[in-house]
Structures are given as structure tokens and as C-alpha cells.
Amino acid sequence: MKLLNKFGFTSVRESTRQSRRKFLRNLAQAGMLLPLAGSMLGQRVFAQSGSAQRVLFLYYPNGVVPYNWLPQQGPGSISGSQELSFGLGPLAPWHNRMIVLQNLTLDIGSGAGAHYNDMRGILTGNNQISRESASIDHLIAEQLGSEGVLSLGVRTGSRSDIMISKPRGYASEARPIPNNDPADAAQKLSVGIAGGGSAGSNGDKQAYYEAILNDFDSLADVTLENARRDKLTLHENALKRLRDLAGNQVGECSFNTNVMSDPYYNSSSQLTPAEWQMFPHLARAQVENIVGAFSCGLHRVATLQLSKGDENGNLVNYSYDECWQMAQDAISQGIQHSNGSGPVGPITRWYNEFASHSASHRPGDVPHTAQVRWYHALLAYTLQQLDNRGLLDDTLVVMFSEVGDGSKHGGAAGAVTLAGGAGGALQMGRIINCGDGVNNGQRIYGSHQLFGDVARYMGVNNLPESHWSGGVV
């Protein structure tokens, strides 16, 4: 804190909001704020730039309706913040923080096109993987430390042969079931941080960080060139991380244990509409668990499996309010399911559809179109939560399904979004064409290469399987 005293901060209590703002504004105008921030944050923070520090693998089931998911503009830089398509629409505010990988081949091994094979293979790169090998999330986590993978789910069902994440020591057909209860997951995560942190110096550090963060908004009207403004944003996010880490206990590192519980996640009887309405809230609760674990330094790798491909025993019905409204929006906008077709058609609410599988084979009806938009709205929510915690700049989120075109199965039309950042090392705001989207057609890039790239941006360069080759981004 001697540095702060040098610049006129004798203590947080003695400095007024007005004097702090004047101090920061004068530093910014003089070009001195960035050196001050560098001294405050130290080498530990700046060592993080140029790579990703965390990664979330986010799975959604049964692919997409390609015609209303594919971006309406061609490959290259994303031009503007308009909706790229109906399916990708909720991500419009994050257009410069994502890469859309259209028609990425989903490399899952033999038997591509069968949902359960595809789910076993999507993160392993081979659905016949051996007992002693692991999926890419675990391979990355193994080389980062002892935290392991935070594996969470939302109504995935209890079939262990179709979980997407696989640690070493498990047969491919007998994988662990991810924790499907947000409240239980939150309580278990809190054990890792309970008792950490204290008053005293850490509390003082938090107070200083908080005082300065409260005044960053006063710099918005200061004239700075773009490069300096970008660096200022990076420093602000790093300050948020240090503020959270300075108090390593529940409530001080953005971790909430008061979250929704799901008593129905393993139910074998038909649920009610009220119980189906829980799904979006459960999904957001699990996202919050992951972001909380990231912000508290409990995990650097997480996987969130949302439901599963094919049928799922009535655990999910996509007529909950949020998805139902998106269905009505698709109908009112005249969204088509293929070139020259009529608009997607309505369907009776709470129809006999307990997963998105049947809907994915009826692209002319509205449900699957709405479901895909809702899942991408959840991705937007995830990015917002990461941004709120100052974690977005160096956290990668990979959103994918086990199939591409849900109505045709197969992996040629993979609809994958890579979002977040890698400490400035990865150019975001792009659309990359990865093939022609036709099963057994032209392949340019596949998930073997993409996940190899993700590992590399996480600082993992020596994966045991050579098929994680990289080269997409």
C-alpha cells in the first residue's frame, strides 16, 4: 500500500470519492494511470495476459436447425452488433467476444450419427476411448494442477454411458454422473473456501481495490486513445480478480451458496409443468456455481452438460415460459427452417415431448428453433456473469452439441461457438467456415483441432493423443 500513499492515498477512509476521482482522472489524462495500475497489480496479474486461465465446456443436446442458426453474413470479421441469425440472436451484444465455427466436423470416432455414440465421443474424440484415457477437459486439468474438472449437469438422467466428460480410470460406458443439484454442488464447493481469508491485510486490500473500482466509471468521459482504453479495461478486470482473491471466503469471492435445489433430477415418473419450469433456473444456478468456483480459484476447468441427446425420460419439456416465448417470437418473425420454406409452424404447449430429440427431427415445427435460441441465451448469460466478475478476458467458453443438423444426425454441420478471451492472444469477433455441412462432404476443420487449440491457449501443449492437433483458431 506504500505505492498508494505515494500517490496521495493515505487510507481508504481518509480519501473522499471526489478526490479519488480527480486523482484517477488526472492520471488518465497524463497517461500515468497504466503504470500505476501495473505497479498495483504486480507481475502475477500481467503474467496471465496472453493466455486463457479458465475454460468451460458447455454442452447442449440434439444439434440445431442449420438454416436458422448459420450466420447470415459470410466468414470473416463480424460486422456490427445485429443478430447474426435467430439461433445466435441472444449473442448479439457479445459479437466481438466470440468466434462462430460453422459446419465444424464433430470428431467422435466410429458410429457417428447415433446420439449416444456422439455424446461419448464429443469430448474424448473417440467414443471407444480406453479406460485409462480421458476426455479433453480432464486432459487439460491434469496439466494445470490438482483442482481437477468441475463437472456439473442439469437433468442429464442417470445413464452413465452417455455422459460427455470422462476422467481416467472409468470405462467409457461407466462414466461418473455430473452433479445435477445446484444446491448440493454449491455446498460442496463452499467447503473448498470456508475458513479461508480473514480480516486484517486482506480486508484492507479489498477495500483499496473496491475504492478504485468504484471510480473507474468516472474515467469514461476522459479522452484516451483506443489502445490505452483497452488496456484500462484489462486492468479493471484484473483488479476485480484481485479484489475477489484478497478475500478467499464465502461471500467475498462472488460465490453464492443460496441457490436452487433440484429434487427431480433423477425422477423416473412424469413431471408436471411447474417442475419443468425449473429447468432454466437450474441451468443458470449451475452457471453461477461455475463462475463462483472460477472467481474463488477453486477450479480452472469446468464442464456443464445440459440434459442429453435423444430422449431423457420426461426430465425436460421445452415449453417453459422463456422457451415458449421464443417460439412465439420465431412464428411472429416468420422464421424459416430451410431456404424457400414457409415459416416454422406452431404447436400445442406442453406437447408430448420430453426432450429436444423428437423436435429436432421436425425442423418445420417451431420447438427446436426456439430451443436452440434459448441455449444461446444461456451462453449470453454465462458471458455476462463472467464479465461481472472480471473473468471474461481470460476465460474461454466452448459451446457445442453432439450432432450438427439435428434432423439428419451426423457431425458435418457442427454448430460451435467459442467465446470469452485468452488474455488478448486470441482474435475474437469472427466467423470461420469449417466445411460444407454435408455428411461425408468437405471437411476443413474439426473438433479434434478446435479442442487442441483450446488446450494450447490454456498453456497445455503436450496432450497424450495426437489427434488433438489444433490449427482452427
Side-chain angles (χ1 to χ4, degrees):
M1 299 304 159
K2 292 180 180 179
L3 179 67
L4 293 173
N5 294 338
K6 177 180 177 181
F7 283 94
F9 280 106
T10 56
S11 75
V12 174
R13 293 183 178 87
E14 294 173 16
S15 64
T16 65
R17 178 177 294 273
Q18 183 177 3
S19 65
R20 291 197 311 269
R21 285 184 174 175
K22 182 178 179 180
F23 169 72
L24 289 170
R25 185 179 294 110
N26 289 341
L27 284 176
Q29 290 172 331
M32 295 173 61
L33 182 61
L34 300 183
L36 171 64
S39 298
M40 285 173 52
L41 301 179
Q43 294 303 313
R44 183 166 65 91
V45 170
F46 287 104
Q48 294 179 356
S49 62
S51 65
Q53 296 300 306
R54 293 158 294 274
V55 60
L56 166 59
F57 292 93
L58 179 56
Y59 163 86
Y60 66 99
N62 295 308
V64 301
V65 181
Y67 187 76
N68 51 48
W69 180 88
L70 287 168
Q72 294 172 357
Q73 71 167 79
S77 297
I78 297 175
S79 56
S81 59
Q82 72 283 356
E83 292 195 3
L84 291 173
S85 65
F86 187 79
L88 290 165
L91 292 169
W94 305 99
H95 67 281
N96 61 342
R97 309 301 291 273
M98 66 182 188
I99 300 174
V100 179
L101 298 124
Q102 63 182 32
N103 297 329
L104 183 81
T105 297
L106 304 176
D107 297 310
I108 60 92
S110 61
H115 287 278
Y116 294 166
N117 283 341
D118 298 342
M119 294 184 71
R120 285 190 291 269
I122 188 62
L123 286 185
T124 63
N126 173 11
N127 61 69
Q128 301 298 320
I129 189 172
S130 72
R131 181 184 184 89
E132 296 310 315
S133 192
S135 51
I136 187 66
D137 50 345
H138 288 276
L139 295 177
I140 293 172
E142 286 175 357
Q143 298 194 38
L144 296 180
S146 59
E147 298 94 344
V149 175
L150 175 57
S151 182
L152 301 182
V154 183
R155 295 190 175 174
T156 62
S158 57
R159 285 193 54 166
S160 61
D161 62 330
I162 55 172
M163 300 299 114
I164 62 172
S165 181
K166 179 196 172 304
R168 295 185 191 274
Y170 289 83
S172 191
E173 296 77 19
R175 305 177 181 204
I177 307 295
N179 192 325
N180 273 246
D181 186 356
D184 181 68
Q187 290 298 324
K188 289 176 178 175
L189 287 167
S190 69
V191 172
I193 50 179
S198 61
S201 61
N202 274 359
D204 291 340
K205 288 179 183 178
Q206 278 195 291
Y208 278 111
Y209 296 143
E210 196 66 59
I212 295 173
L213 281 166
N214 285 340
D215 296 320
F216 261 69
D217 58 354
S218 71
L219 300 174
D221 56 354
V222 175
T223 301
L224 299 172
E225 66 262 24
N226 288 338
R228 186 170 290 169
R229 188 176 297 276
D230 290 343
K231 290 182 180 179
L232 188 64
T233 299
L234 178 64
H235 296 327
E236 180 182 12
N237 289 334
L239 275 167
K240 289 178 181 177
R241 287 200 298 274
L242 284 181
R243 175 201 59 194
D244 293 338
L245 291 171
N248 190 27
Q249 56 186 327
V250 177
E252 292 186 332
C253 51
S254 306
F255 187 77
N256 178 22
T257 58
N258 185 25
V259 295
M260 175 180 282
S261 179
D262 185 12
Y264 309 107
Y265 70 87
N266 201 25
S267 175
S268 59
S269 59
Q270 182 166 325
L271 303 184
T272 67
E275 292 156 355
W276 286 321
Q277 290 277 18
M278 296 171 65
F279 184 81
H281 305 287
L282 293 166
R284 285 189 287 269
Q286 293 290 48
V287 166
E288 290 162 12
N289 277 336
I290 290 168
V291 174
F294 281 169
S295 73
C296 296
L298 297 178
H299 292 273
R300 293 178 62 190
V301 181
T303 298
L304 177 55
Q305 179 171 335
L306 300 167
S307 185
K308 69 181 183 66
D310 207 342
E311 300 301 337
N312 71 344
N314 90 54
L315 293 174
V316 184
N317 185 306
Y318 289 86
S319 288
Y320 50 81
D321 288 346
E322 296 172 20
C323 203
W324 182 252
Q325 182 56 55
M326 291 178 179
Q328 309 320 301
D329 293 342
I331 293 169
S332 65
Q333 293 176 30
I335 298 299
Q336 297 180 328
H337 65 90
S338 62
N339 187 24
S341 71
V344 289
I347 198 167
T348 303
R349 190 170 187 180
W350 303 119
Y351 53 95
N352 184 27
E353 163 69 297
F354 301 126
S356 60
H357 181 240
S358 294
S360 72
H361 286 278
R362 302 196 308 271
D365 294 332
V366 73
H368 201 225
T369 291
Q371 292 159 22
V372 171
R373 184 176 175 92
W374 184 85
Y375 278 120
H376 287 78
L378 182 69
L379 174 56
Y381 177 82
T382 302
L383 300 180
Q384 185 63 66
Q385 296 306 302
L386 289 166
D387 196 40
N388 290 346
R389 305 295 182 264
L391 301 173
L392 186 60
D393 286 339
D394 53 9
T395 302
L396 290 174
V397 182
V398 195
M399 187 173 189
F400 57 93
S401 187
E402 84 280 11
V403 293
D405 184 336
S407 66
K408 296 180 180 178
H409 286 200
V416 179
T417 306
L418 178 64
L426 179 58
Q427 180 189 350
M428 308 305 286
R430 293 184 285 158
I431 298 168
I432 299 176
N433 183 53
C434 301
D436 61 8
V438 178
N439 290 333
N440 300 314
Q442 181 196 31
R443 170 203 171 105
I444 302 175
Y445 299 119
S447 54
H448 279 162
Q449 294 155 293
L450 175 64
F451 294 154
D453 281 334
V454 169
R456 176 167 52 86
Y457 281 110
M458 287 291 293
V460 175
N461 296 300
N462 297 306
L463 293 168
E465 286 96 0
S466 61
H467 58 241
W468 304 116
S469 55
V472 186
V473 294

